[in-house]
């Protein structure tokens, strides 16, 4: 017997799951300390409950995924709308260097994943899901590429991606602080002064100004245009034999629009974009987790732990021997190293959490808080997409996905 959960019912269930996840994270300090998203906690819990109930009663539960697919496009569009070239220039040389280092690491992370997947006798394409798709990319990227992989016949790719994205969040929050702490103590580092912030008075006022209905409607319109134009571009590219994921073309259109808007002095509300980003990510993520097959996620836990140890070792060595040294071997570089560990295994909030822990103990590092969030907010997603397309184009990937 089968039971289908339709759109509005699925939405209600998903929002309840987010609140449940928030409650669990509050009462279990370990989850909160490691920045586990409320949607992940609630989504995994509800997925487990649905799996147990359906197994006990012999039910096959199906979900209406149309809203989730739209939210996927909205999320990546909002990522593109924050990718302003002026911020790249404001970060200066340090931002360019860290971005270059990040691209080098993404390549190594994927190469490691492909080698491990091959050694386990699996499809090399699975290596990308134990690489930057899940770790540097996070849950949203894992689910997005998982949908593309499923179309190509890679079974359980989405569940594999979610597994490693979750492990990555935990490990990224665990190793960042110890790495930076050791670098600071061994090298006798101290804060080296202040760095002027790039925020203007107008931008500070905007941060605390109430969001107007006009700004919200304008943002919704821009997001819809980006998605629609991205779809048209994707159809054109498909007709020429080139296929890109829909979320990627929507993000690229958003990048073009937000930077074009800056040239003509057309203001896009950053707060409205931020709200749309958080809302779409939370609901999209919890919908994906609730609807997945929990049994597929729980399979191969031992293998996942082994692979995770390999990836953690890689980023630890890379952070200490490359990031710290190339960024200047000073206090700011040590703080950036803690943030980089969070970015490479988890997400921007994990990186910021790591840096907060270090600076609250050893002293401020404005430079690190300028550069690392800029790389993590959008540049690393763009770089990740480019490197993933490179790997998928390799002959060993059997045509990719």
């Amino acid at each position: 017997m089968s039971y289908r959960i339709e759109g509005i019912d699925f939405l209600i269930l998903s929002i309840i799951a987010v609140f449940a996840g928030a409650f669990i994270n509050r009462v279990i300090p370990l989850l909160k300390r490691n920045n586990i998203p409320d949607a992940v906690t609630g989504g995994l819990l509800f997925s487990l409950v649905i799996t147990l109930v359906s197994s006990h009663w012999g039910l096959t539960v199906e979900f209406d995924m149309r809203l989730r697919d739209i939210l996927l496009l909205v999320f990546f569009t909002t990522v593109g709308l924050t990718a302003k070239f002026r911020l790249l220039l404001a970060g200066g040389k340090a931002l360019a260097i860290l971005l270059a280092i990040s691209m080098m690491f993404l390549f190594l992370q994927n190469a490691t994943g492909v080698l491990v997947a091959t050694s386990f006798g699996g499809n090399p394409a699975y290596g990308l899901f134990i690489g930057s798709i899940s770790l540097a990319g996070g849950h949203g990227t894992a689910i997005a590429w998982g949908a593309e992989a499923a179309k190509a016949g890679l079974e359980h790719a989405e569940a594999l991606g979610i597994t490693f994205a979750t492990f990555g969040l935990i490990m990224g929050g665990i190793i960042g602080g110890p790495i930076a702490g050791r670098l600071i103590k061994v090298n006798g580092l101290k804060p080296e002064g202040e760095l002027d912030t790039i925020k203007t008075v107008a931008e500070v006022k905007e941060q605390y100004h109430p969001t107007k209905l006009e700004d919200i409607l304008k943002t919704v319109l821009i997001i819809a245009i980006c998605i629609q134009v991205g779809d048209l571009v994707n159809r054109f590219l498909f007709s020429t034999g080139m296929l890109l994921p829909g979320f990627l073309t929507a993000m690229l259109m958003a990048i073009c629009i937000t930077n074009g808007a800056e040239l003509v002095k057309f203001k896009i509300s950053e707060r409205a974009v931020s709200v749309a980003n958080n809302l779409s990510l939370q609901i999209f993520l919890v919908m994906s987790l609730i609807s997945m097959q929990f049994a597929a996620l729980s399979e191969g836990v031992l293998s996942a732990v082994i692979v995770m140890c390999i990836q953690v070792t890689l980023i630890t060595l890379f952070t200490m021997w490359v990031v710290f040294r190339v960024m200047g071997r000073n206090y700011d570089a040590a703080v950036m190293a803690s943030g980089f560990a969070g970015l490479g295994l988890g997400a921007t909030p994990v990186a910021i959490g790591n840096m907060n822990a270090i600076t609250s103990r050893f002293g401020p590092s404005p430079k690190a808080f300028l550069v690392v969030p800029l790389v993590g907010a959008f540049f690393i997603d763009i770089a990740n997409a480019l490197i993933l397309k490179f790997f998928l184009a390799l002959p060993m990937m059997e045509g990719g996905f």
Side-chain angles (χ1 to χ4, degrees):
M1 185 170 64
S2 63
Y3 179 77
R4 181 176 175 84
I5 301 179
E6 298 295 342
I8 191 65
D9 295 327
F10 195 14
L11 176 62
I12 294 171
L13 181 66
S14 299
I15 295 174
I16 293 174
V18 174
F19 282 121
F23 173 77
I24 294 172
N25 284 350
R26 283 197 301 270
V27 298
I28 303 179
L30 178 64
L31 299 177
K32 186 175 183 179
R33 281 200 305 269
N34 287 290
N35 302 287
I36 304 300
D38 298 338
V40 172
T41 303
L44 290 175
L45 173 64
F46 275 46
S47 177
L48 175 60
V49 171
I50 290 174
T51 299
L52 293 175
V53 171
S54 60
S55 298
H56 180 74
W57 294 98
L59 291 174
T60 299
V61 181
E62 300 177 352
F63 298 87
D64 182 359
M65 305 299 288
R66 289 174 295 179
L67 178 58
R68 190 208 71 161
D69 295 340
I70 294 174
L71 291 171
L72 168 67
L73 298 177
V74 172
F75 168 67
F76 279 98
T77 299
T78 57
V79 171
L81 289 175
T82 62
K84 295 180 172 61
F85 294 144
R86 67 175 173 85
L87 295 179
L88 176 61
L89 297 175
K93 182 180 178 181
L95 177 57
I97 294 174
L98 187 61
L99 180 57
I101 294 173
S102 300
M103 294 184 70
M104 182 191 308
F105 177 74
L106 291 175
F107 184 90
L108 290 175
Q109 195 173 58
N110 283 322
T112 301
V114 170
L115 288 174
V116 171
T118 304
S119 66
F120 274 88
N123 188 319
Y126 281 116
L128 302 180
F129 284 89
I130 57 178
S132 72
I133 286 181
S134 307
L135 299 178
H139 288 86
T141 304
I143 295 170
W145 285 100
E148 298 296 322
K151 296 176 184 177
L154 293 180
E155 295 182 359
H156 307 317
E158 183 176 315
L160 180 67
I162 291 170
T163 301
F164 277 88
T166 303
F167 283 163
L169 275 174
I170 297 171
M171 294 308 301
I174 291 175
I175 70 170
I179 288 175
R182 177 173 175 77
L183 291 172
I184 291 170
K185 292 178 180 178
V186 169
N187 295 279
L189 303 176
K190 295 180 180 180
E192 300 177 356
E194 300 292 332
L195 178 74
D196 291 338
T197 179
I198 63 169
K199 280 186 176 293
T200 65
V201 174
E203 287 173 323
V204 172
K205 289 182 178 179
E206 168 65 19
Q207 183 178 356
Y208 298 100
H209 193 275
T211 305
K212 299 178 181 178
L213 176 61
E214 178 184 351
D215 292 332
I216 296 174
L217 291 175
K218 188 191 303 180
T219 302
V220 171
L221 176 61
I222 292 171
I223 291 173
I225 291 173
C226 290
I227 293 174
Q228 185 63 23
V229 174
D231 181 61
L232 293 175
V233 170
N234 220 22
R235 293 183 188 182
F236 171 76
L237 293 176
F238 181 76
S239 67
T240 63
M242 181 178 180
L243 180 61
L244 292 176
F247 69 87
L248 184 56
T249 51
M251 184 172 69
L252 293 175
M253 290 304 103
I255 293 172
C256 294
I257 287 178
T258 192
N259 286 284
E262 287 221 325
L263 289 176
V264 299
K265 307 299 181 183
F266 179 82
K267 185 172 179 57
I268 300 176
S269 172
E270 294 182 3
R271 290 194 64 190
V273 171
S274 177
V275 170
N277 176 279
N278 291 328
L279 179 64
S280 59
L281 176 60
Q282 290 293 316
I283 299 179
F284 152 71
L285 183 54
V286 76
M287 282 184 165
S288 299
L289 292 170
I290 289 176
S291 61
M292 75 176 184
Q293 298 296 320
F294 193 88
L297 178 63
S298 61
E299 291 177 358
V301 172
L302 179 60
S303 299
V305 170
I306 294 173
V307 175
M308 198 68 221
C309 289
I310 296 173
Q311 291 286 15
V312 168
T313 302
L314 172 66
I315 195 170
T316 300
L317 295 175
F318 188 88
T319 300
M320 298 184 71
W321 291 95
V322 178
V323 177
F324 174 68
R325 293 169 183 268
V326 174
M327 297 309 296
R329 298 173 60 95
N330 54 20
Y331 177 75
D332 288 328
V335 178
M336 287 185 209
S338 71
F340 188 88
L343 286 182
L345 291 178
T348 304
V350 180
I352 294 174
N354 288 346
M355 294 192 297
N356 272 327
I358 293 299
T359 55
S360 63
R361 180 178 178 185
F362 295 100
S365 176
K367 184 176 182 179
F369 276 91
L370 168 63
V371 173
V372 173
L374 285 178
V375 172
F378 41 79
F379 291 121
I380 200 169
D381 286 323
I382 299 170
N384 197 14
L386 295 174
I387 290 173
L388 287 171
K389 293 303 291 184
F390 167 79
F391 272 91
L392 289 171
L394 296 176
M396 66 182 300
M397 292 295 174
E398 302 178 1
F401 50 81

